[in-house]
Amino acid sequence: MEQNQQVIISIKRTLGTIDGQIINYLHSRPFGLGNLPEIVMLTLLEYWSPFAISANGVDGEELRQRAIWSIKKLEAQPALIREVFLSSQVQTAVTVDNSSVSNSASDERLRVPLALAQWTRHSNAISLCEINS
């Protein structure tokens, strides 16, 4: 019976605040990551899942694998931010049709630096693949 119970989260923020701006941005389905609930859950999984499964008694290799997965996902975010916003060599952007790697509308397009031009989708998570040219 417990498996059928649902947990609901609701977040409201004023648009003029940074929190509101983030929520508004995530509604735009950035990088083809899906709708707002999917993006929020992906973020929560990456950040908190090792703690949650450990608290539920999971340990050993399963916990170790989840921790490795979380660390890899979390390490990718600073690399993405650095590449998009801080790289002095980011002068050219390419438009990439990412419809083949997402479940969202087929006409979605994404402007990204050349190093970020290839994205792959694995089990509801987006992984960054750098292109060496």
Side-chain angles (χ1 to χ4, degrees), residues 90-101:
V90 175
Q91 297 172 0
T92 307
V94 60
T95 301
V96 177
D97 182 352
N98 65 337
S99 61
S100 64
V101 296

Side-chain angles (χ1 to χ4, degrees), residues 2-17:
E2 186 176 317
Q3 290 178 335
N4 294 331
Q5 293 179 334
Q6 294 185 353
V7 178
I8 299 171
I9 105 179
S10 177
I11 303 169
K12 293 181 183 181
R13 297 293 188 266
T14 304
L15 185 57
T17 65

Side-chain angles (χ1 to χ4, degrees), residues 1-2 12-13 26 29 31 38 48-50 54-55 57 64-65 73 81 83 87 89 93 108 111 115 117 124:
M1 186 87 172
E2 186 176 317
K12 293 181 183 181
R13 297 293 188 266
L26 294 177
R29 297 176 179 240
F31 302 109
E38 291 168 341
W48 291 107
S49 64
S54 176
R64 182 178 145 336
Q65 289 298 316
K73 294 298 180 180
I81 293 168
E83 184 69 26
S87 176
Q89 297 177 358
E108 279 194 64
R111 289 189 51 80
N124 295 328

Side-chain angles (χ1 to χ4, degrees), residues 1-124:
M1 186 87 172
E2 186 176 317
Q3 290 178 335
N4 294 331
Q5 293 179 334
Q6 294 185 353
V7 178
I8 299 171
I9 105 179
S10 177
I11 303 169
K12 293 181 183 181
R13 297 293 188 266
T14 304
L15 185 57
T17 65
I18 188 66
D19 291 356
Q21 292 168 6
I22 291 169
I23 292 169
N24 194 46
Y25 172 72
L26 294 177
H27 273 293
S28 73
R29 297 176 179 240
F31 302 109
L33 290 173
N35 62 31
L36 181 60
E38 291 168 341
I39 296 170
V40 170
M41 285 310 305
L42 177 60
T43 304
L44 291 173
L45 278 169
E46 292 170 357
Y47 202 91
W48 291 107
S49 64
F51 298 99
I53 68 171
S54 176
N56 285 321
V58 174
D59 60 3
E61 186 61 19
E62 185 177 352
L63 179 58
R64 182 178 145 336
Q65 289 298 316
R66 176 55 65 162
I68 290 169
W69 177 84
S70 290
I71 290 166
K72 295 284 186 187
K73 294 298 180 180
L74 292 168
E75 286 175 340
Q77 191 66 12
L80 176 62
I81 293 168
R82 198 174 295 111
E83 184 69 26
V84 171
F85 299 107
L86 303 179
S87 176
S88 61
Q89 297 177 358
V90 175
Q91 297 172 0
T92 307
V94 60
T95 301
V96 177
D97 182 352
N98 65 337
S99 61
S100 64
V101 296
S102 72
N103 294 327
S104 52
S106 62
D107 63 342
E108 279 194 64
R109 299 186 74 74
L110 167 66
R111 289 189 51 80
V112 297
L114 288 173
L116 304 179
Q118 183 178 353
W119 293 85
T120 57
R121 187 173 185 97
H122 299 289
S123 65
N124 295 328

